[in-house]
Amino acid sequence: MKHQFRIIILGEKETRLLSRILLIFNRKNIKTDHINVSSKNEDEPISNIQYVIDLRCKEEQLLKIKKSIEKLIGIIHVYYYKLEEKIQKKTYGEKWIYH
């Protein structure tokens, strides 16, 4: 059964690191829902970049992807967690019902 996960990757500021990460997802036929890239200090010559990627896959696939990403040069740390399902809101009159 597929679940929604968020992978957070801490890497060195290196060119083409994101493309190498996304290439791993492409090889495993996994599509990403959301990608966010952020850097703390852009002024420093050596700084770290954080990649946040949301995807939907099986946990076994995610563990294989995590191991593949950790092998890349420039990766400092990779961790993930399972996202909770979104609360759906429906209105009936003035009452909110949460599913």
Side-chain angles (χ1 to χ4, degrees), residues 10-58:
L10 184 63
E12 296 175 1
K13 190 172 185 177
E14 185 178 323
T15 57
R16 296 191 181 187
L17 187 58
L18 180 61
S19 64
R20 289 188 282 148
I21 292 169
L22 294 177
L23 187 65
I24 292 172
F25 289 117
N26 191 21
R27 287 181 187 156
K28 303 285 185 180
N29 291 328
I30 294 180
K31 296 178 182 174
T32 58
D33 295 335
H34 178 78
I35 300 172
N36 185 9
V37 180
S38 62
S39 176
K40 287 188 178 181
N41 297 326
E42 295 180 5
D43 298 335
E44 296 180 13
I46 301 174
S47 64
N48 297 331
I49 295 179
Q50 180 177 341
Y51 303 96
V52 180
I53 303 170
D54 292 345
L55 54 99
R56 185 177 297 270
C57 68
K58 296 180 182 178

Side-chain angles (χ1 to χ4, degrees), residues 39-99:
S39 176
K40 287 188 178 181
N41 297 326
E42 295 180 5
D43 298 335
E44 296 180 13
I46 301 174
S47 64
N48 297 331
I49 295 179
Q50 180 177 341
Y51 303 96
V52 180
I53 303 170
D54 292 345
L55 54 99
R56 185 177 297 270
C57 68
K58 296 180 182 178
E59 192 163 5
E60 296 85 22
Q61 288 178 315
L62 184 66
L63 292 173
K64 291 178 183 178
I65 290 170
K66 181 180 179 284
K67 288 180 184 178
S68 298
I69 292 173
E70 287 174 337
K71 292 178 184 178
L72 293 175
I73 295 173
I75 298 295
I76 297 170
H77 187 66
V78 179
Y79 58 99
Y80 70 94
Y81 61 92
K82 189 178 189 180
L83 293 174
E84 299 293 325
E85 291 189 21
K86 295 178 183 178
I87 299 174
Q88 296 178 356
K89 299 178 185 178
K90 294 183 180 179
T91 56
Y92 293 99
E94 294 183 16
K95 296 181 181 178
W96 287 88
I97 297 175
Y98 296 93
H99 295 278

